[in-house]
Amino acid sequence: GAVVSQHPSRVICKSGTSVKIECRSLDFQATTMFWYRQFPKQSLMLMATSNEGSKATYEQGVEKDKFLINHASLTLSTLTVTSAHPEDSSFYICSATGTSGVDTQYFGPGTRLTVL
Amino acid sequence: GEDVEQSLFLSVREGDSSVINCTYTDSSSTYLYWYKQEPGAGLQLLTYIFSNMDMKQDQRLTVLLNKKDKHLSLRIADTQTGDSAIYFCAESIAGNMLTFGGGTRLMVKP
């Protein structure tokens, strides 16, 4: 149980276009979803936290107009990278927590974004 | 603020034990975690430990927590080549938000 999927797994786009990444909890209801970005030196950075039906909370330094997060249902959150630039190329990972009461996050497989 | 630190790299021979260390600064951590990331993949939760425990064992994995020193370790017994990956420790306090260490790359030599 506790499977989180992401789609697409890999995307290449042109500079200036927008890209949407989906994160789904397949077998549980995710009250909270998180979006991380992984930089080349392997460290993970939390970008934002989203709770179903409310606006996402962005970490300091993350542009909320550039990284649009929507958590419309208990099983789906989307991250849209608007007007992507090469410096946005990265590995984006989502995670979700359910209602089990344990502070355990279940991670998606990640999406590799390459902006040309 | 929270700070979680790990050494960057560890190399062991197949069959030996691996010990990956992690230190953290926030004494109000409620849970501490170990995640594994294989090349090109997302993070996989290996194990977690409550902050009121000092040891947890799960098959080849042993987690030791020294709360006084704010030191967490992951021991992998009989390390195999399939254990080669990046290992992240993480802590959480209230609200489920995780703070990750920088990751330790484990290389297992045949």
Side-chain angles (χ1 to χ4, degrees), chain A residues 4-116:
Chain A
V4 175
S5 70
Q6 276 185 246
H7 178 80
S9 57
R10 193 179 292 267
V11 58
I12 301 171
C13 70
K14 291 183 179 179
S15 187
T17 60
S18 294
V19 175
K20 181 186 281 189
I21 303 170
E22 292 185 349
C23 177
R24 292 182 186 272
S25 57
L26 298 184
D27 52 2
F28 67 102
Q29 292 186 324
T31 50
T32 305
M33 285 185 168
F34 303 85
W35 287 95
Y36 295 86
R37 182 174 175 177
Q38 185 172 31
F39 291 95
K41 290 187 177 180
Q42 82 194 17
S43 63
L44 282 171
M45 181 194 81
L46 177 64
M47 298 174 67
T49 303
S50 73
N51 292 293
E52 184 263 338
S54 59
K55 287 185 180 179
T57 302
Y58 290 81
E59 295 300 300
Q60 195 172 7
V62 178
E63 298 175 62
K64 59 182 177 183
D65 293 332
K66 180 167 185 63
F67 298 100
L68 300 178
I69 292 171
N70 185 286
H71 191 165
S73 76
L74 282 171
T75 59
L76 174 64
S77 175
T78 59
L79 167 67
T80 302
V81 183
T82 62
S83 187
H85 290 285
E87 58 265 30
D88 299 324
S89 298
S90 195
F91 194 54
Y92 293 88
I93 303 174
C94 74
S95 70
T97 57
T99 56
S100 66
V102 177
D103 288 348
T104 301
Q105 291 189 22
Y106 298 95
F107 284 81
T111 297
R112 169 73 60 191
L113 170 64
T114 303
V115 185
L116 302 176

Side-chain angles (χ1 to χ4, degrees), chain B residues 12-71:
Chain B
V12 299
R13 293 213 172 272
E14 192 174 16
D16 289 349
S17 292
S18 307
V19 179
I20 303 171
N21 295 302
C22 173
T23 58
Y24 59 99
T25 57
D26 200 316
S27 58
S28 55
S29 300
T30 48
Y31 296 88
L32 295 131
Y33 307 82
W34 283 104
Y35 287 86
K36 177 183 180 182
Q37 185 182 30
E38 297 186 11
L43 295 178
Q44 171 195 2
L45 176 65
L46 284 179
T47 186
Y48 63 89
I49 188 169
F50 298 113
S51 59
N52 62 357
M53 297 170 63
D54 51 20
M55 188 183 92
K56 181 178 180 181
Q57 186 153 6
D58 183 3
Q59 298 182 331
R60 292 191 298 123
L61 305 179
T62 303
V63 179
L64 295 177
L65 174 61
N66 182 326
K67 202 172 180 184
K68 175 176 168 290
D69 294 338
K70 299 190 186 71
H71 181 267

